[in-house]
Amino acid sequence: MQPKTPQETEVVMSELVLPNDTNLLGNLMGGRLMYWMDIAGALVASRHSGRVVATVSIDNISFRHPVRMGEMLMIKAKLVYVGTTSMSIAIKVYAENMRNGSQVLSNKARMIFVALDEAGNPTPVPPLSPQTEEEIMDFEKEKMRRVGKSC
Ligand SMILES: CC(C)(COP(=O)(O)OP(=O)(O)OC[C@H]1O[C@@H](n2cnc3c(N)ncnc32)[C@H](O)[C@@H]1OP(=O)(O)O)[C@@H](O)C(=O)NCCC(=O)NCCS
């Protein structure tokens, strides 16, 4: 299988936070945000593998700033590491106040997806070819983290 770069499969998804997405204080509900993050991550994993994918893990999810109704979300999802059948994806969520143009990093998470064949079994994915210094560093860090966890 031909290697792919992280840029080839990167996804930026935009969403407008509507009343139905918020709690009684007018802030975005965490569950709705996780749903959007899951979709953005699955799109990246599907693009890389060309397969149907399943979420197997969501790690290090953090909610740093409340997101208000009427704000725009940009959900950036990028592949950082692949194993044999699994793919680790970094998700960063930015909230933009469209009246004044200010942007904050509101959430981060690390999600792992597995590529599945027609029978629903894990199937190998193409290697990842990180290009930039940051991508190479992220690849090595995630490799250490994954190896450390499996010991
Ligand atoms: C996805 C699934 C078929 C994988 O089956 P499995 O028996 O765990 O398969 P394996 O043990 O061979 O693991 C497959 C890969 O996933 C990784 N993996 C499995 N569970 C993991 C977890 N909790 N955290 C991190 N990685 C995990 C393994 O390390 C392996 O990676 P590698 O091939 O790159 O080395 C099975 O776990 C499943 O159906 N899970 C439910 C998925 C789901 O319903 N998600 C929500 C809706 S999409």
Side-chain angles (χ1 to χ4, degrees), residues 10-151:
E10 198 173 357
V11 163
V12 181
M13 208 168 95
S14 303
E15 295 286 344
L16 172 64
V17 179
L18 293 169
N20 204 32
D21 304 319
T22 62
N23 61 20
L24 295 175
L25 297 171
N27 294 330
L28 175 63
M29 286 184 292
R32 183 59 56 99
L33 177 60
M34 284 162 68
Y35 169 76
W36 287 330
M37 292 163 92
D38 193 29
I39 290 178
L43 288 173
V44 172
S46 301
R47 275 180 129 178
H48 183 81
S49 61
R51 295 283 190 173
V52 170
V53 298
T55 317
V56 289
S57 157
I58 303 178
D59 276 350
N60 299 337
I61 187 158
S62 61
F63 296 90
R64 296 164 171 231
H65 292 279
V67 178
R68 302 286 301 158
M69 183 170 69
E71 290 188 334
M72 181 172 88
L73 282 187
M74 269 164 300
I75 303 157
K76 298 187 176 181
K78 190 172 179 182
L79 205 46
V80 289
Y81 175 79
V82 307
T84 306
T85 66
S86 68
M87 295 159 279
S88 294
I89 292 166
I91 317 268
K92 286 183 183 161
V93 181
Y94 297 86
E96 179 173 324
N97 177 322
M98 288 179 283
R99 275 179 302 212
N100 60 22
S102 64
Q103 264 188 21
V104 289
L105 175 63
S106 65
N107 307 83
K108 279 168 82 169
R110 182 60 48 93
M111 301 181 93
I112 300 176
F113 294 83
V114 172
L116 302 176
D117 65 15
E118 289 71 15
N121 296 315
T123 189
V125 301
L128 184 65
S129 171
Q131 302 289 304
T132 66
E133 217 170 287
E134 189 182 353
E135 287 168 1
I136 293 167
M137 219 166 65
D138 286 347
F139 181 93
E140 291 302 329
K141 264 202 253 171
E142 180 66 3
K143 188 174 167 183
M144 296 292 288
R145 195 181 78 94
R146 294 280 303 271
V147 170
K149 275 199 161 183
S150 66
C151 292

